[in-house]
Amino acid sequence: MCQIFAGQNPADYEPTTRRLRLNGQSTSIRLEDSFWQMLDAIAAAENLSTPAFISKLHAEVLELRGEAPNFTSLLRCACLVHQRANMTIPDTIAAE
């Protein structure tokens, strides 16, 4: 099992900072490349650029919660929510 996790390509968890605008404010977000790849894919599926998708998500969080504390963690968790929503669960596990 360790080879699956420990043996992954270091480039996948290399942090990258991207500059973008969140609702008119210039900011930067630092995430591991694997999360950027997932966010790029999610944004493309929504027919949005990644900055537009992130800005839209940020605006929705502000509307829903009034603030967006630890927004980078929210982005990581959004990737996990997306991943879970698209997982295929084998019938044998689903029946348990």
Side-chain angles (χ1 to χ4, degrees):
M1 179 169 88
C2 287
Q3 288 303 314
I4 294 170
F5 301 110
Q8 64 185 303
N9 184 346
D12 289 342
Y13 54 88
E14 182 70 28
T16 298
T17 301
R18 292 191 189 179
R19 296 200 52 76
L20 59 135
R21 288 194 166 283
L22 287 181
N23 306 309
Q25 298 288 335
S26 180
T27 191
S28 60
I29 295 176
R30 185 176 174 94
L31 291 170
E32 296 77 12
D33 285 343
S34 290
F35 288 110
W36 282 121
Q37 291 167 15
M38 289 185 74
L39 289 168
D40 292 340
I42 294 167
E46 296 288 325
N47 295 315
L48 295 168
S49 68
T50 302
F53 171 75
I54 291 172
S55 189
K56 182 177 179 182
L57 177 59
H58 186 260
E60 289 177 1
V61 170
L62 291 179
E63 184 178 321
L64 185 65
R65 305 268 185 235
E67 62 178 332
N70 206 350
F71 188 63
T72 54
S73 289
L74 182 137
L75 291 173
R76 288 182 187 94
C77 288
C79 290
L80 292 174
V81 167
H82 176 77
Q83 187 78 16
R84 287 180 191 142
N86 291 299
M87 287 177 64
T88 303
I89 301 173
D91 292 336
T92 55
I93 295 173
E96 293 178 2

